[in-house]
Amino acid sequence: MEREKGIPTKGVLRQKKTQTFTKQNRYFPKKSLQFFIEHYWSVEWNLPTNEMFVAETLPYPSVHLVFENRNSKVYGVHQKKFSICLQGKGSVFGVKFRPGGFFPFYKKTISSLTNLTIPIKSLALPSNIDILKIESKICLTNNIKDRIIIIENWFDQLKPIRDSKIDTINHIIDDIKSDVSITKVEQISKLHTIKIRTLQRLFLEYVGVSPKWVILQFRMQEILERLEKEQMIHFADFSNEFGFFDQAHFNRMFKKFIGFTPEKYLESLK
């Protein structure tokens, strides 16, 4: 498919194992929706009887819509890793919004969704839109192209309005992602000439989490990628490069985000 974006490259724990047990892909939205949507994604699995696999991902500062038959949900930004136990045969299709991109659809403070998962039918939508019919159409076809057409027709009906604050947020987040030397909110405040309090209010309203959390999350993704590639823990390097006070601080934050000590996580890669 011409809009194919490829498999995720960051944020997937034990990425090599995950690719063994699942088939994942991502797809770009059409141009008129790229302001709001990062990509569409799909995951398929077909495991032998009595076999299971726990798929885990680090959170990202984005809201997701996830479509499953009679079980479609809105996922706010979750501040801890996401885990799901896969068994048998199944598939799921989702929409990942750009940071802040769900605000024009939801029209409420996004922090009200943080760490929450709500049924998609609970969204306040125009009376002429039946979200359960849309869910049914998506789940009745396994063709990704058809699923994307269905969801994009729905988004077009909603007529979201572009908000310049979403662009501001994404410029900030792009800087955080690309520059590993950014470890403090003060650096972002200075770089973008925005007061810290204004920055915090902006992120809570549009993204759902603080800029400090976003910085830590992206630094942790960098660390996980290195651990998987190098199979070694460079405590001193990680502490100095990513802004941790010392090894104890690094260990504490790693366990908070990943749920394991660094040593235990390395063992789980084998």
Side-chain angles (χ1 to χ4, degrees), residues 4-266:
E4 199 167 302
K5 187 178 180 180
I7 62 173
T9 56
K10 285 188 177 182
V12 178
L13 275 65
R14 295 177 290 276
Q15 190 166 112
K16 290 179 181 177
K17 283 187 177 181
T18 301
Q19 290 171 11
T20 300
F21 290 99
T22 66
K23 181 183 176 183
Q24 304 174 60
N25 217 329
R26 302 175 299 170
Y27 307 87
F28 292 107
K30 65 181 181 180
K31 193 170 182 179
S32 61
L33 290 170
Q34 287 175 5
F35 183 84
F36 308 99
I37 297 166
E38 185 103 7
H39 57 248
Y40 309 111
W41 55 268
S42 65
V43 180
E44 299 173 26
W45 62 94
N46 188 1
L47 299 176
T49 305
N50 299 324
E51 192 168 331
M52 65 178 67
F53 175 70
V54 178
E56 296 182 301
T57 58
L58 283 185
Y60 192 94
S62 291
V63 172
H64 290 251
L65 299 185
V66 180
F67 289 89
E68 290 184 276
N69 192 28
R70 298 182 183 179
N71 192 35
S72 299
K73 293 175 181 175
V74 181
Y75 285 78
V77 178
H78 282 56
Q79 292 177 288
K80 293 187 177 180
K81 69 177 181 182
F82 176 76
S83 302
I84 186 168
C85 182
L86 304 178
Q87 293 178 287
K89 183 177 181 179
S91 67
V92 63
F93 173 74
V95 182
K96 179 183 178 180
F97 289 84
R98 292 176 76 203
F102 190 60
F103 186 86
F105 297 91
Y106 192 55
K107 298 174 184 175
K108 290 188 279 188
T109 300
I110 299 300
S111 60
S112 66
L113 287 172
T114 302
N115 295 318
L116 294 179
T117 304
I118 63 171
I120 203 166
K121 62 185 178 182
S122 67
L123 288 176
L125 298 170
S127 58
N128 64 325
I129 295 177
D130 187 341
I131 187 60
L132 294 182
K133 281 188 178 179
I134 293 164
E135 174 196 69
S136 178
K137 286 181 181 178
I138 287 172
C139 295
L140 280 172
T141 179
N142 288 321
N143 185 286
I144 287 294
K145 187 175 180 180
D146 290 341
R147 286 180 166 184
I148 290 174
I149 290 170
I150 293 164
I151 198 74
E152 291 190 332
N153 286 340
W154 174 49
F155 288 142
D156 287 341
Q157 290 179 65
L158 293 174
K159 297 181 173 67
I161 298 171
R162 289 182 174 228
D163 185 331
S164 61
K165 291 179 181 177
I166 295 170
D167 257 343
T168 299
I169 287 164
N170 280 274
H171 287 317
I172 292 169
I173 288 178
D174 285 345
D175 284 341
I176 294 170
K177 283 195 292 186
S178 62
D179 187 351
V180 295
S181 71
I182 294 175
T183 58
K184 294 181 173 62
V185 178
E186 288 81 1
Q187 293 170 272
I188 291 296
S189 174
K190 185 176 180 181
L191 185 63
H192 289 269
T193 324
I194 302 176
K195 291 180 180 178
I196 290 176
R197 290 294 297 276
T198 303
L199 195 57
Q200 290 169 335
R201 285 195 298 268
L202 179 67
F203 268 63
L204 287 174
E205 184 176 11
Y206 279 76
V207 185
V209 288
S210 70
K212 180 181 178 181
W213 181 89
V214 173
I215 292 169
L216 276 169
Q217 189 57 46
F218 282 117
R219 297 298 78 87
M220 201 57 69
Q221 288 189 15
E222 294 286 339
I223 290 166
L224 282 182
E225 188 176 37
R226 288 201 197 175
L227 285 177
E228 183 133 359
K229 283 181 180 177
E230 299 172 15
Q231 301 283 306
M232 290 182 65
I233 306 169
H234 304 285
F235 286 113
D237 291 345
F238 291 158
S239 296
N240 293 332
E241 188 173 347
F242 297 111
F244 299 105
F245 301 128
D246 52 29
Q247 183 176 325
H249 182 218
F250 167 70
N251 282 340
R252 189 163 63 251
M253 297 308 295
F254 189 96
K255 190 169 184 180
K256 179 181 178 181
F257 276 84
I258 311 303
F260 300 101
T261 63
E263 292 86 354
K264 286 287 184 184
Y265 182 72
L266 268 186

